[in-house]
Amino acid sequence: MTVQRTLEVWKLGLVKYLDALKLQEKLMSDRKIGKVSDLVLSLQHHPTYTLGKRKTYHNLLIPESDLKSLGAELHYTERGGDITFHGPRQAVLYPIFSLREIGFGARKYVEGLESVMIEVASMHGVKARPGDKGETGVWVRDKKIGAIGVRISSGITCHGLAFNIDPDLGWYENIVPCGLEGKGVTSLKREVPGELPSDDVIHHQLIQCLARTFQFSNLQTKQDVPIL
C-alpha cells in the first residue's frame, strides 16, 4: 500500500537571514523529536553573504567592514559549500526533512535538490545541468543559476537551495561565488527572452517539484507564520 505523505509548506516572504537561521535550528530540533513533520520554508532574503563551515573568508573580495555601507550582512553557518549570496528575487527553499523517513541518503538528497532546480528551469525553456566534478549547484552553460548548501544532523536536513529568478547580479562581484574562480552567475530572467511569471509562481513551481522529487503526495500551506 502506498503511503500518503504530506509536506507542510511555510511561506515566509522576505526574511532576515539570521531570523531564518534561528527558525531552522528550532525546527530541526523539533523534527528530531517528532514535534513537527517534514516541512519546507519558502522565502527570500535581504542582501546577505553566507560562509559555510569551511569558513573560506578569502573568497569575500571586499573588507567585511564595507558590507554595512552597501546594505548587506555577512553570516557564518554550519552548512556545506562555500561563500554565496542571498537577496531579493532569489527563491530560497529550506527543507526540514527526515532523510530516514523519505528514504534518501545524503548524496541522493543533494542530487534531488539539483533536479528540482533543473526541472523548474526547463519549465521556462532553459536547459540547466548539475555541476561538473568539483562544481556544486546547477548551471546554465558555464554560469551558475542555482546554489546548494545543506546541513544534515541525526538524519535531519536544514539549509537547502537558492534559485536565481532575477536578483541583482552585481552583488556577486564582491565574492568568488561558491569558491569557483573564473565562473559566472546567471538568473532565470537573463536566460528567458520573454516575460516571467511572478516570483510567487516560481516559488510554487519549486515547491511542487520538491514534493514530487521526494515523493510527497500532498501539500499543506501555511502563510503569515510568525518568525521567532
Side-chain angles (χ1 to χ4, degrees):
M1 185 175 69
T2 302
V3 177
Q4 298 291 307
R5 296 170 52 243
T6 297
L7 176 63
E8 200 169 278
V9 181
W10 293 25
K11 292 188 174 182
L12 303 180
L14 189 64
V15 179
K16 290 182 178 179
Y17 187 84
L18 193 57
D19 289 341
L21 185 60
K22 290 177 180 177
L23 179 60
Q24 287 182 81
E25 290 169 352
K26 181 183 186 304
L27 290 171
M28 191 180 205
S29 296
D30 288 348
R31 186 67 188 91
K32 287 178 182 178
I33 61 175
K35 190 175 178 179
V36 298
S37 58
D38 288 331
L39 59 91
V40 60
L41 308 181
S42 173
L43 52 91
Q44 297 187 17
H45 284 305
H46 299 276
T48 307
Y49 296 102
T50 69
L51 285 161
K53 58 187 176 183
R54 288 187 289 148
K55 305 292 188 291
T56 49
Y57 187 83
H58 59 279
N59 287 324
L60 177 66
L61 302 180
I62 61 173
E64 184 177 348
S65 58
D66 289 354
L67 293 179
K68 187 174 181 180
S69 64
L70 294 175
E73 298 179 351
L74 176 68
H75 290 289
Y76 298 87
T77 76
E78 293 302 311
R79 63 162 174 78
D82 210 297
I83 193 168
T84 194
F85 170 76
H86 294 303
R89 310 284 329 267
Q90 180 194 70
V92 174
L93 297 187
Y94 293 140
I96 313 294
F97 287 175
S98 167
L99 292 184
R100 296 187 183 101
E101 290 195 13
I102 66 175
F104 278 68
R107 181 65 245 171
K108 188 178 178 184
Y109 172 65
V110 171
E111 290 171 351
L113 295 180
E114 291 173 343
S115 72
V116 167
M117 291 189 281
I118 290 169
E119 184 176 350
V120 170
S122 72
M123 290 178 179
H124 301 277
V126 176
K127 186 176 181 179
R129 61 172 178 83
D132 295 329
K133 187 175 181 179
E135 297 177 346
T136 60
V138 170
W139 299 74
V140 178
R141 300 177 304 281
D142 63 344
K143 295 183 178 181
K144 195 167 192 174
I145 195 170
I148 293 174
V150 304
R151 179 186 171 206
I152 301 171
S153 174
S154 301
I156 307 299
T157 69
C158 68
H159 298 283
L161 65 82
F163 183 73
N164 289 344
I165 301 172
D166 187 24
D168 179 355
L169 297 182
W171 287 105
Y172 287 93
E173 296 174 4
N174 299 323
I175 61 174
V176 180
C178 300
L180 298 171
E181 294 276 2
K183 298 291 185 177
V185 181
T186 191
S187 65
L188 199 60
K189 180 66 175 177
R190 284 275 180 97
E191 302 298 330
V192 175
E195 289 295 315
L196 289 175
S198 70
D199 288 7
D200 284 345
V201 168
I202 295 172
H203 272 267
H204 190 62
Q205 290 171 341
L206 287 163
I207 291 163
Q208 287 182 313
C209 290
L210 185 82
R212 283 196 299 271
T213 298
F214 296 104
Q215 300 168 5
F216 292 95
S217 49
N218 301 302
L219 294 175
Q220 185 179 74
T221 302
K222 287 189 173 183
Q223 291 181 314
D224 301 320
V225 180
I227 299 294
L228 299 177

